[in-house]
Amino acid sequence: METEPVFYAPLLDAWCVTRREDMVAVLRDDRNFSARDHNPRSSIELPEDVSRMLRTWRGAGALAVGSLDPPEHSRIREVLNIGFTPARVRAFAPTVRAIAADLAERTAASAEFDFITEFAVPYSLEVICRRLGIPDEYVERCRTWSEQRIELMMLQSYTDPDWLREYARGLMEFGAFARSLVQERLASPQDDLISELLHDGRAGNTLTADEVAVQVPTLIFAGHMTCAEALGTIVFQQLRSPGGWAAVVDRTIATRDLVEEGLRFDSPLAGMYRTALHDVVVGDVHLAAGSRLLLLYGAAGRDSRAHACPAGFSPGSGSATHLAFGHGIHFCLGAGFARLELEVAIEAVADRMPGLALAPGAPPRHRPVFPLRALSELRVRQQGRPSGRPAGGLSDTLTPAELT
């Protein structure tokens, strides 16, 4: 980062950008850089039928908001924002607390468990599915479809073609499910995000059924996977830090500070791609039009120019300057929602499992799905299993400032 902040990585066929100020400059410049090809590419050649399904499962030529450039991005984003205003987030907060409290109560019955599979993933998935209005019987299938999307999008080695086709067909089902659900909400609105996008736009500014259906899988995917990843790594880092979980239980560490430091120290999204639309200069390096850049958000969190102690995990040390939610026009539209979700979960676990500690055995491992940063397992145990204090957690009234 210090000696070569922008360098070419042949394995990724991309220019890696590691310095925070350079990333911010790129993310602010949507005239010279496109987000259209922002996802990782499979490093192997896929069978033609699999490749075709990957291109069309959302609909022919359909792109999620994260892959759009202005002016189309601006129109779609403006409507999506209505579902994540501070007022909407506050209104949904009691539901988030109820989900967290119920799952923490059930999980606390085990003396030892895997925090990722038993709490982080099911909690994050239920929250976003409830917000969207996904029927209960489809929640687990949404998790499976999301996993299939990850595997196909980030495939790094050859595997069984039949397995690839099975996963691709799963994505086709995902797209069909989203379109069917949107049509139902178009005809019969309910109290959920999909209905809001179809019916609640200001001055008639809503999305068409097809446009909403394109966004639904991404809202499910990004809405639960990155949150689960962040929750797992935040808990892991605090459990292995001085003071451990006791500092969270007695509120020596403010929950908001813990969340922000966790996002800085180990970003759930290691990076995101951009494509140069013209010849440009990034960090004193001249790049030709068409060059692919990988903006390493995780590295930005360890930039010594932006953080006093970049290699130390220290909640409360000004961590909010991280890029875990991106920057510029593609800044995560659900950032306030995600912050609430993470804080509520941590406080619910602290209230019901005050004796939480890392279980003995092999250290946690990350899944090999770059650029995501996902723990595959985090074994924890409850030392002494004391009853803890009554559930309370975050106040039922949150100010808009707390949701940004």
Side-chain angles (χ1 to χ4, degrees), residues 238 242 244 247-248 250-255 257-258 315:
Q238 186 56 37
V248 181
D250 64 18
R251 305 307 195 257
T252 299
I253 294 175
T255 311
D257 291 342
L258 178 59

Side-chain angles (χ1 to χ4, degrees), residues 188-215:
S188 180
Q190 297 186 18
D191 184 17
D192 57 40
L193 178 55
I194 292 176
S195 300
E196 292 164 13
L197 298 177
L198 290 166
H199 301 281
D200 293 355
R202 290 187 294 273
N205 185 18
T206 57
L207 300 181
T208 67
D210 287 343
E211 288 171 337
V212 174
V214 169
Q215 312 306 324

Side-chain angles (χ1 to χ4, degrees), residues 24 36 74 153 192 208 267 272 323 400:
V24 169
R36 190 175 181 87
S74 305
M153 188 168 60
D192 57 40
T208 67
S267 173
M272 191 72 77
L323 294 181

Side-chain angles (χ1 to χ4, degrees), residues 140-315:
E140 185 59 23
R141 291 174 70 178
C142 286
R143 184 197 64 77
T144 299
W145 287 328
S146 296
E147 292 283 348
Q148 290 171 334
R149 183 188 176 209
I150 285 182
E151 295 295 336
L152 288 172
M153 188 168 60
M154 303 179 186
L155 200 62
Q156 299 301 311
S157 59
Y158 181 79
T159 189
D160 185 347
D162 290 336
W163 179 86
L164 296 176
R165 291 184 177 95
E166 177 186 348
Y167 275 30
R169 285 192 292 269
L171 285 190
M172 296 296 288
E173 293 175 2
F174 200 4
F177 164 74
R179 290 187 290 274
S180 174
L181 183 61
V182 167
Q183 287 297 328
E184 290 180 11
R185 296 296 182 270
L186 186 63
S188 180
Q190 297 186 18
D191 184 17
D192 57 40
L193 178 55
I194 292 176
S195 300
E196 292 164 13
L197 298 177
L198 290 166
H199 301 281
D200 293 355
R202 290 187 294 273
N205 185 18
T206 57
L207 300 181
T208 67
D210 287 343
E211 288 171 337
V212 174
V214 169
Q215 312 306 324
V216 168
T218 291
L219 290 169
I220 295 172
F221 173 83
H224 89 273
M225 301 207 78
T226 52
C227 180
E229 291 155 14
L231 187 55
T233 54
I234 289 169
V235 170
F236 171 59
Q237 294 300 337
Q238 186 56 37
L239 289 177
R240 66 199 291 262
S241 298
W245 196 242
V248 181
V249 174
D250 64 18
R251 305 307 195 257
T252 299
I253 294 175
T255 311
R256 165 57 65 92
D257 291 342
L258 178 59
V259 167
E260 296 302 324
E261 177 67 349
L263 292 171
R264 176 201 71 84
F265 188 80
D266 199 356
S267 173
L269 187 62
M272 191 72 77
Y273 290 92
R274 290 292 185 270
T275 303
L277 296 174
H278 311 99
D279 292 353
V280 292
V281 176
V282 179
D284 296 329
V285 176
H286 291 261
L287 303 178
S291 295
R292 202 163 189 240
L293 291 77
L294 174 59
L295 309 181
L296 290 167
Y297 297 161
R302 304 295 184 94
D303 190 337
S304 60
R305 297 186 180 198
H307 306 282
C309 300
F313 186 76
S314 180

Side-chain angles (χ1 to χ4, degrees), residues 6 15 17 19-35 272-276 280-283 287 293-295 297 327-330:
V6 180
W15 290 88
V17 183
R19 196 161 52 192
R20 186 183 188 279
E21 64 182 86
D22 295 330
M23 292 183 224
V24 169
V26 171
L27 292 168
R28 285 177 173 172
D29 187 0
D30 52 88
R31 292 185 178 182
N32 285 308
F33 299 96
S34 171
M272 191 72 77
Y273 290 92
R274 290 292 185 270
T275 303
V280 292
V281 176
V282 179
L287 303 178
L293 291 77
L294 174 59
L295 309 181
Y297 297 161
H327 191 81
I329 65 170
H330 284 283

